[in-house]
Amino acid sequence: MFWQQLLNGVALGSTYALIALGYTMVYGIITLINFAHGEIFMAGAFTGLCLVSYFKTNIFVAILAAMVVCMILGVVMEFIAYRPLRRSSRLSALISAIGVSIFLSSLALMIFGADAKGFPDTSFPVRLIRVGSAEISTLQLLIIGISALLMLALQFIVQKTKIGKAMRATSEDYNTAALMGINVNRIISFTFAIGSALAAAGGVLVGVLFNAVSFNMGLMAGLKAFAAAVLGGIGSIPGAMLGGLLLGISEVFGVAIGYSSYRDAIAFAILVLVLLIRPTGLLGKKIVKKV
Amino acid sequence: MTFKKIGMVVLAAVLAAGVFGCKKKDEAKEGAPAASGNTIKIGFLGALTGDVAMFGGPSLQGMKMAAEEINAAGGVLGKKIEIAEADNRGDKQEGASITQKFISRDKVVAIIGDPTTGITKVAAPIAQKAGVVLLSGGSTGPGVVENGDFIYRDTLLDSVAIPACIGYFANTLKFRNVAVITSDNNDYSVGLSQTFRDAAKSVPEIKIVADEKVKDGDKDFSAQITNIKGKNPDVIFFSGYYTEGALIMKEARKQGMKAVMFGGDGLFSPKFIELGGPAVEGSMVALGFSPEQGSPETTKFVADFKKKYNEVPGVFAAQAYDSMLLLADAMKRANSTDPKVFKNELAKTKNFKGASGTITIRANREPIKSPLSLLMVKDGKFVLKSTVAVKME
């Protein structure tokens, strides 16, 4: 039972991690908490759902397509709602983000209605594989596998490519990076694109895993992922992964030992504790105030 | 700045409207709620959108149909029935403010609804205080009519239905081990689970092997199902609503569990089957109504409803329809449309032959109703598995 629950936790945590990465990357570069990120996740889930239900596409094609659609959505969102506010106070951008979030979820409510919708059963064949005392479902394998793959790809892009280097530089010092000839606007667009793509993949995976896609799914998922990002140390990519997994696992174990009423409280209680003991999060760097 | 000026003017206008609006409301509160003119206003309290829209929408259909029939036959005491409607989206705060609005602005004499126990419990004290009859065509949990002598319902209570079902389960279906799942932010679910636990105590064959909690709005049930799976139950008793019910069954099948689900009318919705698909095949629902239950009143209601809306009515449509007829019946017997007068006649309702069954209001103002219908999902549809007669006092 322990292993089974651990597996449930890792599957849930991987989806949190995928969303948390977007928060952390955007924060790392322009110190903006992108509150509309949860809605990008929701948009990804709906894109995947439409493709699978109406165009009968394969689930992998749906994930890829949802990633592309949300990449565009993320870039457009940044261009319309955040870029004009780049030079104004951080609070304005934050309010703008909340506005985008409400806009997107209301739009989804108008288009898709208020009921939760499920992926068709044929979208992914679920089988159980026995491993020791636990049973892994092929669905959990899919989720953990795809999440791991995407996170590895992200690590590769950020650490090994030229654009990744530019991202790290921009994150370290926005103005100096611009002075060194880095096209900062392009880097920011790219960051939004990558973050949104990851959230979209998370959206489709969550949609298939829990079989419920609804207009307000982004809110709680977004808040939890935000908690995961802060838990791991906001701005830190490995921190977001770790935070997501920890949050998922602790939530599932909390429910398993009978505290399901406090399921959402668990996530935020952990957040408060971490912030009290280690304000920079688990893997966050010490913030040195620049004068 | 001209923009600023315009903004100030708009702001001032909004504030003024707000003050004026409040004043109007206060004035309205002073007037006694009684039918004036040639219409009798009855409010519809329920959700037309949101997660519990499947309860509210059909309720309004049933009410409208009953009102049209009554009006076509000359109305009640020479007055026509008019329905005031609003959408509370399944939200308690919204339910409370709509109840207020019905009473103060629409001056209704009675409110039919809410179909859910939770919102009925919020609306009941408001209606009681204002002296307006509230008749719920859907709430089955405890804590509703306790709010006072203006509050009624015409449903088959959980405390009546569940003991009847458990006997049937133990003796006919030979179920032994039950896993109970409660949605603990849902009043109806908490009450129903408690009723089930109490009823199970008196049936020695039935053993509750697991008692798990979820919440309305949860999507991930993997931890609870893993817990339950180890206990190997024959049946999962889930006391919540259809969305979570369907998702729980999906998760159970994903983890390879074979048990079926059993629940109250909260599971009864086409959405349960739509979301659950093959995972909910064989699942059962106990209801105060089935279109196939066979009484002449039911058969006529089903045929008329099909003609009007082109679909088969469910329990909420039937009970809301009956609610309207019960109110009209009480007003006729009382020869008054004043809620303070006709509520006493409503309380004396005995063996009323409604579309959903035979209804009697007992001395404690709780209804008792027969028969109980046990519906089962078969080939993607709810079909009548068995009707269990309920002993009328």
Side-chain angles (χ1 to χ4, degrees), chain A residues 1 4-5 8 12 114-115 118 121 128 135 139 208-212 255-256 260-261 263-264, chain B residues 50-51 184 213 215 218-220 222-224 226-227 229 243 247 250 254-256 271 275 278:
Chain A
M1 193 116 109
Q4 187 77 59
Q5 296 289 24
N8 294 338
L12 182 67
D115 297 313
D121 284 303
L128 292 173
E135 278 174 333
L139 195 58
V208 180
L209 178 64
F210 303 141
N211 245 293
V255 174
S260 48
S261 326
R263 146 165 240 152
D264 298 332
Chain B
D51 278 346
D184 70 353
K213 284 182 196 133
K215 275 200 295 195
D218 274 2
K219 301 281 184 274
D220 172 29
S222 55
Q224 289 95 337
T226 300
N227 272 352
K229 197 184 161 194
T243 307
L247 296 179
K250 282 239 156 179
K254 265 180 210 156
Q255 295 201 18
K271 278 268 160 194
L275 268 178

Side-chain angles (χ1 to χ4, degrees), chain B residues 344-364:
Chain B
N344 299 326
E345 287 302 323
L346 188 60
K348 288 181 203 151
T349 303
K350 204 165 183 251
N351 287 328
F352 178 85
K353 297 253 183 276
S356 62
T358 307
I359 303 159
T360 294
I361 305 286
R362 288 180 284 187
N364 61 358

